[in-house]
Amino acid sequence: MGEALLPVPTSAAPVQRGLNYRKRLICSAVLILVALQFFYARQIADLAQIASVPIHAEQSLTRCRSLDLKPGPSPDFHERVRSDRHAPGTPPTLILNARIWTGSANGTEALEGHVYFDQGVIKGVGEVDVELVKRLHRQNSLTIVNAQGAWITPGIVDAHSHLGVLSAPHLAGANDGNSFKGTILPWLRSLDGLNTHDDSYPLSISGGVTTALVLPGSANAIGESLIAFTIKLRKTAERSPTSMLLEPPYALNGTHPTSGALPWRQMKHACGENPSRVYDATRMDTVWAFRQAYDKARQIKEKQDAYCKQAFSGQWADLGEFPEELQWEALVDVLRGRVRVQTHCYEAVDLDDLIRLSNEFKFSIAAVHHAHEAYLVPDVLKRAYGPPPAAAIFATHARYKREAYRGSEFAPRILADNGISVILKSDHPVSNSRYLLHEAQQAYYYGLPEHLALGSVTTQPAHAVALDYRIGYIKEGWDADLVLWDSHPLALGATPTQVYIDGIAQLDAPHILHKPDSLQSAPKVPNFDREASETLKYDGLPPLLPNDTHVGDVLFKNVKGLFLPDADGENVEDAFSVRNLDSGVVLVHNGSVACFGPSESTCSFDDLTHGTPVRVIDLKGGSISPGLVSYGSALGLSEIQGEVSTGDGTVFDPLVGPVPGVAEGGIIVRAVDGLQFAGRNALLAYRAGVTRAITVPSHAGFLGGLGVEFSLGARHKLEHGAVLQDVTGLHLAIVGGGRQPSVSTQIALLRRILLAAYLNGPAQGDDSSEHFADVVTGRIPLIIETHSADVIATLIEVKREVEGHTGFPLQVTIAGATEAHLLAAELAEANVGVVLTRARPFPRTWDQRRILPGPPLSADSAISVLLSHNVTVGVGVDESSSAASARFDIGWVALEAGGRISKSQAIALASTNLGKLLGVKCSKHTADLVATEGGDLLSFESKVVAVVSSVRKAVDLF
């Protein structure tokens, strides 16, 4: 009965198990099928994606990655053992016992010690283990130089040069400074026109210039400057322009690196008059051209950035190739912050335009160049996008065109006072870069602090071209570009005794002058605070007439030197040396020296002054010298060279075109008829001790006219003493090339005119025959402008020929005369004098190519050679703004002569000698005198404080 109660077994369970298995199997199959479908879909998608990646993808990605690379050196740059510019075979050099201006600490660091460099890199400065260095090198492989306490500085860096593109001598076949194909040309590279045979390279090196930023000219608003066209000036084994480059820019051969160091590029811009003049446009047109160009570059940049964003995210569909236009790639790089923009820009309006442009398109400016009004608007520069640009300027060169008219010698100090970096540059060949250091010296003279003056031609330009991590300093790891000087670099006439570029000595057997101890420290320059303040007060045009004119007697005390014309007024004497005086007093009565001696008791005041009060002026160790004379420029006939409306104009040349009927009959133009007074160049020269000028009518051809002697301090022509001699000499020029007839034609005409003047005498109504008759009878001199020694030789023959016919000695002076030294003996024998219109020569044109450069390239200068042959020599200038620097020019002449030219002889070069050579009737009693405070007329220590006029019987005080 119990078993009956148990459940009965059934077959339902096995049937259920079979159904579950089949379900699982079907589900697995479905899942596998879905997975396979997903896998194949992914494969198809990946294959489609692979098929859409363009063949140029990697190249485009590389190009995109290159956009993020920032310019500058590699982090381990200063750990390098060898320079990339090292020339194999260059010996290591150890300079001992030097005074080292390193450029560090904002230019205030100066060390006494040694400098060691090897393989083009500086490896020790100051405290150098000399014995260790000697052990590192075999004794015969190490060059040891004992500087004997001489100054050594970094090589000079010229931040604005046209070396190689505006070559010397100037020849049409090597004139590659400008393109005239359009206002905006950022695709041009001045490397493509660099002339490696420019005569300027060795000359500039001899002045201490080791590196230059070579820019195109300023005809274009935007012109590419070779993409970082910074060069070392030394010759290379390859002898090519490319081998001169310092850190060739990456884009030079079309490559785009994605890692490592990226060299900076450079680009030239130009505002203002130049592009406006060249393209017959206005400033508005130029700025609009700028904006159009930068807008185009901005559009390309934005397309590139958008392209790279998609490319990096793999979105290649319809992306195409990397957007780029070769013509604009450099300007796009400006917007990427990889180009140093160097901008030619003078006036406040142009500087303001430029700064607004930089902010609109967000690019920084490395430097504004020329920038003659930058000192008036420093806050404008501070508004620039990025850091304020440096100001690359001249020290004193100004007023040659309207936008330079407010230029001031106090601009460097004013800019520095306002926190703007100051760079002094050459604009070579406008200013000879061989003497770029002299720009720094002049800026220092007018108030730029010593450390900033030295930095203005070394550290600051190196920073402006973004190469200050390798040039511009004397530091371990920097390039071995160094200059040894014969005196303190800011002393007048400082000259290299050796120049090293990449550790290679550049001067073979240099001619070294041994300068006195007084020149081994920076000169104690005068104080110009008042003048600088007035310059700002009067918006760059301060009053320049004398502050006071004293018509009574003046006693100058604490006088260290007195130089006076001799009895005939034809030479200069050191009056104190004659009396064996170290210092004394000088009494001026009625505009003339009445008495001088060791003390006031020397002179009987009551007898001389009749008891009237005497004005006393303390010269503080200064001197009194003859006033200087200026010749060679358009001083007094043109106020602004580039503005024809401000000048007298140019004399008609009868050899080139028809002379107006009213001028027929042989009229000779007189400079006196076109004189202008109280011009800024004239008054600045007057304040600098240049009291008179001899000027000839402006002419571009054969016939000039009659010169005139006039006072630079006069207010107008009718003022007493304004015109000192209305006719001096007769001027003409023998000019080759251009529109002129041949040189032989001009000389044939001169010969015929002179002989006809003697044979026929003055013809009635013929002005020219009268004056040429005066020439052939020796009553007035004939001044002939020419530079070529070949032409000068022919003129000597013509002189002899004419004298043989007339029996009268001709007074002939050669003006210009760059090559006259080649004929020094012949000139002396023929009694022909010379006026050099450049105290320091430069082979600007073909007929000036055979220069005598002077130390350190030659022992003698042209002046010293001519004087040694007893040729009468005068020194002039070739630009009106240079007249104010005449006293430093002749002081330099004396210094580089090594004691062969005395101070009195140097003063005569720009005073009595000029008068004799140019037809002035010299007299001791009509000469002006100049009083300087703090030093003699030729030194950087002095400042002109008075001009004594014997003609006006007065003393002008400043």
Side-chain angles (χ1 to χ4, degrees):
M1 188 174 146
E3 291 179 356
L5 296 175
L6 292 174
V8 178
T10 66
S11 61
V15 173
Q16 184 65 37
R17 281 197 303 271
L19 289 174
N20 289 340
Y21 175 76
R22 284 194 297 273
K23 287 179 181 180
R24 286 195 299 271
L25 184 62
I26 292 170
C27 287
S28 297
V30 170
L31 289 173
I32 291 170
L33 181 62
V34 170
L36 287 172
Q37 288 177 332
F38 179 77
F39 174 77
Y40 284 119
R42 283 292 304 273
Q43 290 294 311
I44 292 170
D46 289 345
L47 289 172
Q49 179 70 13
I50 292 171
S52 68
V53 174
I55 193 170
H56 59 75
E58 187 56 37
Q59 180 181 358
S60 296
L61 287 171
T62 299
R63 186 72 180 87
C64 287
R65 283 191 289 270
S66 74
L67 300 182
D68 294 328
L69 197 61
K70 300 302 180 185
S74 60
D76 60 350
F77 179 82
H78 294 127
E79 298 174 14
R80 61 187 177 144
V81 175
R82 178 185 294 108
S83 169
D84 53 313
R85 294 183 50 81
H86 169 60
T90 302
T93 300
L94 176 63
I95 300 176
L96 302 174
N97 306 316
R99 281 186 277 187
I100 310 162
W101 187 84
T102 67
S104 298
N106 195 28
T108 61
E109 181 181 75
L111 308 175
E112 292 187 1
H114 319 308
V115 179
Y116 163 56
F117 48 91
D118 184 22
Q119 300 185 84
V121 178
I122 298 172
K123 297 185 176 180
V125 179
E127 295 184 1
V128 175
D129 190 332
V130 174
E131 295 305 317
L132 175 62
V133 171
K134 289 179 178 179
R135 288 196 299 271
L136 288 173
H137 304 281
R138 297 190 310 274
Q139 188 64 36
N140 60 357
S141 69
L142 176 66
T143 298
I144 300 177
V145 177
N146 190 344
Q148 296 180 321
W151 283 95
I152 186 169
T153 69
I156 290 175
V157 181
D158 190 352
H160 187 126
S161 177
H162 304 294
L163 267 168
V165 294
L166 292 176
S167 299
H170 173 77
L171 295 169
N175 184 10
D176 288 290
N178 286 294
S179 170
F180 300 98
K181 303 300 183 182
T183 307
I184 305 294
L185 300 171
W187 44 84
L188 298 185
R189 305 186 303 190
S190 52
L191 175 65
D192 299 330
L194 184 68
N195 174 20
T196 58
H197 304 297
D198 189 334
D199 286 356
S200 299
Y201 292 121
L203 295 173
S204 296
I205 289 171
S206 75
V209 180
T210 58
T211 307
L213 175 63
V214 178
L215 300 167
S218 305
N220 317 112
I222 298 179
E224 177 61 72
S225 177
L226 186 96
I227 314 172
F229 182 19
T230 306
I231 65 169
K232 294 286 189 79
L233 272 61
R234 71 172 176 86
K235 289 182 178 180
T236 64
E238 187 178 290
R239 302 183 183 181
S240 70
T242 301
S243 66
M244 298 176 73
L245 293 177
L246 178 57
E247 297 198 354
Y250 70 87
L252 193 59
N253 58 4
T255 61
H256 300 281
T258 58
S259 62
L262 182 71
W264 281 91
R265 306 168 79 181
Q266 310 283 336
M267 185 178 286
K268 171 80 175 287
H269 288 6
C271 315
E273 289 185 26
N274 281 24
S276 295
R277 182 183 68 253
V278 172
Y279 295 103
D280 192 24
T282 66
R283 283 175 165 81
M284 294 179 288
D285 296 314
T286 301
V287 174
W288 173 239
F290 268 124
R291 297 184 67 216
Q292 281 184 307
Y294 270 105
D295 187 56
K296 174 70 173 178
R298 180 168 57 185
Q299 292 176 29
I300 295 172
K301 177 181 179 295
E302 289 172 350
K303 289 178 182 179
Q304 291 175 350
D305 292 343
Y307 179 96
C308 291
K309 183 177 181 181
Q310 286 186 255
F312 283 133
S313 63
Q315 301 176 36
W316 291 104
D318 301 322
L319 194 55
E321 295 190 6
F322 182 80
E324 190 168 32
E325 295 183 40
L326 183 60
Q327 286 181 301
W328 298 101
E329 63 88 19
L331 203 60
V332 173
D333 244 13
V334 172
L335 299 182
R336 294 195 181 280
R338 308 203 296 189
V339 179
R340 303 290 281 180
V341 175
Q342 314 285 346
T343 306
H344 161 120
C345 214
Y346 281 76
E347 289 190 82
V349 58
D350 300 315
L351 293 167
D352 192 55
D353 290 342
L354 175 68
I355 298 311
R356 282 190 281 104
L357 186 76
S358 78
N359 282 291
E360 179 180 2
F361 292 96
K362 294 180 173 52
F363 66 91
S364 62
I365 303 161
V368 289
H369 293 242
H370 303 309
H372 280 69
E373 291 189 12
Y375 74 99
L376 295 173
V377 290
D379 289 338
V380 170
L381 300 186
K382 294 175 183 178
R383 286 195 282 103
Y385 183 82
I393 59 179
F394 294 119
T396 59
H397 183 44
R399 296 170 295 283
Y400 47 89
K401 56 181 176 175
R402 193 197 68 86
E403 60 187 4
Y405 193 60
R406 293 174 189 265
S408 171
E409 61 272 29
F410 305 113
R413 62 175 287 172
I414 294 171
L415 285 163
D417 288 345
N418 282 273
I420 302 298
S421 172
V422 175
I423 296 170
L424 277 306
K425 46 78 178 174
S426 74
D427 197 17
H428 182 95
V430 172
S431 176
N432 184 356
S433 65
R434 178 183 178 186
Y435 305 114
L436 177 53
L437 182 65
H438 189 49
E439 294 290 314
Q441 292 169 355
Q442 291 178 91
Y444 171 64
Y445 175 76
Y446 288 110
L448 185 66
E450 177 183 347
H451 65 291
L452 298 182
L454 290 170
S456 70
V457 292
T458 53
T459 59
Q460 295 308 318
H463 176 74
V465 299
L467 289 166
D468 51 325
Y469 56 87
R470 66 180 299 171
I471 62 173
Y473 293 85
I474 300 179
K475 292 183 178 183
E476 292 185 20
W478 266 249
D479 286 10
D481 296 348
L482 308 125
V483 185
L484 267 168
W485 301 94
D486 65 4
S487 53
H488 189 283
L490 294 181
L492 180 64
T495 301
T497 60
Q498 189 53 269
V499 179
Y500 298 90
I501 302 179
D502 300 321
I504 305 171
Q506 298 297 302
L507 303 179
D508 295 328
H511 298 274
I512 298 173
L513 295 172
H514 298 285
K515 301 284 184 67
D517 291 342
S518 60
L519 295 177
Q520 301 306 323
S521 57
K524 296 179 180 179
V525 294
N527 186 297
F528 287 99
D529 290 349
R530 174 176 58 83
E531 291 86 346
S533 177
E534 288 186 349
T535 297
L536 288 174
K537 177 181 177 181
Y538 290 95
D539 202 25
L541 300 176
L544 296 175
L545 288 166
N547 300 337
D548 182 23
T549 298
H550 188 73
V551 294
D553 298 295
V554 178
L555 177 72
F556 295 99
K557 66 177 185 178
N558 290 325
V559 183
K560 291 285 288 184
L562 176 62
F563 301 89
L564 296 173
D566 64 10
D568 298 325
E570 293 190 352
N571 296 293
V572 177
E573 295 179 336
D574 185 346
F576 272 15
S577 294
V578 172
R579 296 275 189 93
N580 294 316
L581 298 176
D582 292 325
S583 64
V585 299
V586 176
L587 178 66
V588 170
H589 175 67
N590 288 334
S592 299
V593 173
C595 178
F596 65 91
S599 64
E600 295 179 24
S601 62
T602 307
C603 302
S604 177
F605 280 78
D606 290 338
D607 292 343
L608 294 169
T609 65
H610 304 290
T612 59
V614 176
R615 183 78 170 262
V616 178
I617 297 176
D618 187 352
L619 294 187
K620 302 174 183 176
S623 72
I624 296 176
S625 312
L628 303 183
V629 179
S630 185
Y631 166 78
S633 72
L635 197 63
L637 291 178
S638 177
E639 179 68 353
I640 305 174
Q641 180 183 345
E643 294 287 342
V644 295
S645 65
T646 70
D648 179 52
T650 304
V651 173
F652 284 105
D653 186 357
L655 294 187
V656 174
V659 178
V662 70
E664 291 179 355
I667 287 179
I668 296 290
V669 176
R670 301 181 180 217
V672 67
D673 296 330
L675 280 181
Q676 303 173 8
F677 288 85
R680 300 198 70 77
N681 285 318
L683 292 174
L684 284 166
Y686 191 70
R687 283 177 165 257
V690 184
T691 63
R692 301 181 179 191
I694 300 169
T695 297
V696 58
S698 299
H699 60 287
F702 176 75
L703 188 59
L706 296 167
V708 60
E709 184 192 25
F710 65 100
S711 170
L712 294 178
R715 292 163 174 78
H716 56 79
K717 188 176 185 178
L718 299 181
E719 183 177 282
H720 178 61
V723 177
L724 297 161
Q725 188 173 321
D726 58 358
V727 173
T728 53
L730 179 58
H731 296 252
L732 55 83
I734 305 296
V735 183
R739 299 184 302 121
Q740 298 299 313
S742 68
V743 168
S744 52
T745 299
Q746 296 172 61
I747 290 176
L749 177 61
L750 173 62
R751 181 187 292 111
R752 193 190 76 176
I753 291 174
L754 293 175
L755 291 175
Y758 170 70
L759 294 172
N760 303 326
Q764 187 174 0
D766 187 342
D767 196 30
S768 65
S769 67
E770 175 186 345
H771 294 295
F772 276 104
D774 288 339
V775 168
V776 296
T777 54
R779 287 192 288 269
I780 64 173
L782 178 65
I783 298 95
I784 306 172
E785 299 170 37
T786 192
H787 291 279
S788 166
D790 301 307
V791 175
I792 295 171
T794 302
L795 291 172
I796 291 173
E797 291 182 330
V798 170
K799 179 179 185 289
R800 289 171 179 161
E801 180 181 349
V802 173
E803 288 174 338
H805 282 84
T806 67
F808 293 102
L810 287 179
Q811 298 181 58
V812 174
T813 296
I814 305 298
T818 300
E819 295 186 352
H821 61 278
L822 297 173
L823 296 166
E826 291 79 5
L827 287 164
E829 183 182 358
N831 195 26
V832 174
V834 166
V835 176
L836 295 165
T837 47
R838 281 180 177 265
R840 298 178 296 280
F842 180 67
R844 184 174 299 279
T845 57
W846 184 256
D847 59 352
Q848 301 176 57
R849 70 191 184 282
R850 294 175 290 186
I851 66 171
L852 189 59
L857 297 179
S858 65
D860 294 307
S861 67
I863 294 175
S864 65
V865 167
L866 289 164
L867 289 176
S868 70
H869 284 81
N870 295 316
V871 176
T872 302
V873 180
V875 172
V877 297
D878 58 359
E879 291 200 47
S880 297
S881 64
S882 301
S885 300
R887 64 195 185 105
F888 300 139
D889 290 341
I890 57 177
W892 196 334
V893 167
L895 286 168
E896 74 173 6
R900 290 172 292 169
I901 298 176
S902 67
K903 287 183 179 180
S904 57
Q905 288 174 312
I907 293 169
L909 292 172
S911 58
T912 54
N913 283 14
L914 278 178
K916 286 187 292 186
L917 292 166
L918 299 174
V920 172
K921 297 178 177 64
C922 301
S923 171
K924 175 181 181 179
H925 304 291
T926 58
D928 295 328
L929 296 174
V930 173
T932 55
E933 179 184 279
D936 64 59
L937 183 64
L938 310 185
S939 74
F940 275 148
E941 287 84 358
S942 70
K943 180 180 184 181
V944 174
V945 295
V947 171
V948 179
S949 171
S950 59
V951 174
R952 295 187 293 113
K953 295 179 171 51
V955 178
D956 288 329
L957 303 173
F958 305 116

